[in-house]
Amino acid sequence: MTVTPSSIEQVIPGQGAMAQPDPVTATKAKRRRFRFIANGKAATGLFILGIYVLFAIIGPWVAPYDPDKITSDAIQAPSAKHWFGTTHLGQDIFSQILAGTRSVVFVGAVAGIVATVLSILVGVTAGYLGGIADEILSVLSNVFLVIPGLLLVIIICTSLPHVNDLTVALVIGLTSWSWGSRVLRAQTLSLRRRDYVDAARATGEKTWRIIFFEILPNLTAIIASGFVGTVIFAVLSEITLAFIGISSVSSWNWGTILFWAQGQQALAQGAWWWFVPAGLAIAILGTALSLVNFGIDEFVSPRLRTSGHGPKRTSTGERVRMRVGFTPVVRPVEPAGNIEMRDGTTR
């Protein structure tokens, strides 16, 4: 029996030759793919972070002056020649901030990556395997959890003969993974009992494939949020170490600028430009990371999304207003008015 294209068209309209992709469906899938970037908070935070990363890469090259160069322009207020003023040795503060951005971004990124990898290895392994492995890894996490992180970093850094940015980043990353590990363990304990994990285990999937392809994709938002939080802690810790003189004061970062400002009594001299720009740089970076964290929360939780606050319309024309914490309410369409017909009747 020969089936002609016309008969197929009668059974399935529009499917005679080849099914064509629905442009509306493709557009919606593309929007879902870029929904995180479309979030205002996340987009703003990523934009600011992009500027910091750019300055971290090209900052020392585009700095107008050598940050170590001593000149006769001592304690000069911000001007066209020196945008952020100068120090007691005539050093340009704007150049110091640009040169110090690389150290701050490097330490934050490396510490965040190290802490995130350790938290995934310990937390997910303990939550999925259970038993003796869970008990041993949980005890290890609890030990690091109760130890003051910043105090441990200070003790380790003061014990080392030479401290550089990589050393500080590794020390912070190796001492700040425990909290993220506990969170991932709790979520993994919940996910390992789901039906799709049991189905993958019943079909004979290997443990590492179940963890990588079934467990970790559902922990992406938690991992990203933990990474952002660790970066914030690492940046503040690195600046604190430089401010109190633990790390090297010969290499520039924002904490080094604050260290010299505090040591030379900048506030007593009225040289507010010596410490305010560095403080603003720290505050703006922390705000950008917090905005990215808020964007992740809203991307994961539909109740926190702000994109659905405006009135929407259903396929029948009814208005739906989405409100956080409330059930969507469908409002009936108001009649446009009576229409007078030719015979004198109204509808």
Side-chain angles (χ1 to χ4, degrees):
M1 178 179 179
T2 304
V3 181
T4 62
S6 60
S7 60
I8 297 177
E9 182 71 21
Q10 293 176 1
V11 177
I12 307 177
Q15 304 294 327
M18 182 181 296
Q20 299 295 329
D22 187 4
V24 177
T25 305
T27 303
K28 291 182 178 179
K30 186 176 181 180
R31 289 179 179 177
R32 286 194 296 267
R33 192 180 302 119
F34 296 99
R35 181 179 294 171
F36 175 72
I37 302 178
N39 183 280
K41 297 177 182 177
T44 304
L46 291 175
F47 176 76
I48 298 174
L49 287 179
I51 295 176
Y52 275 94
V53 173
L54 179 63
F55 284 154
I57 297 174
I58 66 174
W61 302 332
V62 300
Y65 301 95
D66 183 359
D68 296 317
K69 184 178 181 181
I70 300 175
T71 64
S72 58
D73 299 331
I75 310 296
Q76 296 292 322
S79 61
K81 184 178 180 181
H82 301 283
W83 289 2
F84 289 173
T86 60
T87 66
H88 67 296
L89 298 177
Q91 299 166 329
D92 185 67
I93 298 177
F94 180 67
S95 300
Q96 293 177 354
I97 290 180
L98 288 179
T101 305
R102 176 178 297 181
S103 174
V104 174
V105 173
F106 175 79
V107 170
V110 173
I113 292 173
V114 172
T116 302
V117 171
L118 288 176
S119 63
I120 293 174
L121 290 176
V122 176
V124 176
T125 302
Y128 184 79
L129 296 180
I132 300 298
D134 183 17
E135 294 181 3
I136 295 175
L137 294 176
S138 296
V139 170
L140 181 64
S141 299
N142 292 333
V143 170
F144 277 88
L145 189 63
V146 299
I147 296 177
L150 184 59
L151 180 60
L152 183 60
V153 171
I154 293 175
I155 294 175
I156 295 177
C157 289
T158 53
S159 302
L160 297 176
H162 179 67
V163 178
N164 53 21
D165 292 339
L166 181 60
T167 304
V168 173
L170 292 177
V171 170
I172 295 175
L174 293 173
T175 56
S176 57
W177 55 269
S178 55
W179 179 255
S181 172
R182 298 293 296 176
V183 175
L184 291 177
R185 174 185 175 274
Q187 293 297 321
T188 306
L189 286 174
S190 175
L191 291 175
R192 73 174 185 176
R193 300 184 180 91
R194 302 293 175 88
D195 294 338
Y196 59 87
V197 176
D198 292 335
R201 193 182 297 112
T203 57
E205 290 287 347
K206 297 181 179 180
T207 301
W208 68 269
R209 287 186 61 86
I210 296 176
I211 292 176
F212 275 95
F213 295 101
E214 303 294 343
I215 301 295
L216 286 182
N218 294 279
L219 298 175
T220 304
I222 300 176
I223 294 173
S225 180
F227 172 78
V228 172
T230 305
V231 171
I232 295 176
F233 173 75
V235 169
L236 295 178
S237 299
E238 197 255 351
I239 292 174
T240 302
L241 292 176
F243 177 71
I244 62 180
I246 299 298
S247 60
S248 176
V249 295
S250 59
S251 59
W252 290 108
N253 64 58
W254 302 336
T256 307
I257 298 174
L258 296 177
F259 169 80
W260 287 110
Q262 190 270 341
Q264 298 299 323
Q265 300 295 322
L267 183 60
Q269 299 183 50
W272 55 268
W273 57 86
W274 201 342
F275 53 87
V276 169
L280 287 178
I282 298 170
I284 295 174
L285 179 59
T287 302
L289 293 172
S290 299
L291 288 176
V292 174
N293 198 6
F294 295 154
I296 294 173
D297 292 339
E298 293 183 1
F299 178 74
V300 175
S301 178
R303 286 181 173 271
L304 299 178
R305 293 176 190 164
T306 58
S307 58
H309 283 183
K312 306 295 181 181
R313 290 187 180 274
T314 63
S315 58
T316 60
E318 297 175 320
R319 293 168 55 188
V320 180
R321 185 172 183 84
M322 304 295 295
R323 301 176 63 186
V324 176
F326 294 90
T327 304
V329 179
V330 179
R331 299 181 180 179
V333 180
E334 298 292 339
N338 297 329
I339 304 175
E340 184 176 356
M341 308 301 292
R342 290 185 178 181
D343 56 359
T345 60
T346 58
R347 291 184 180 180

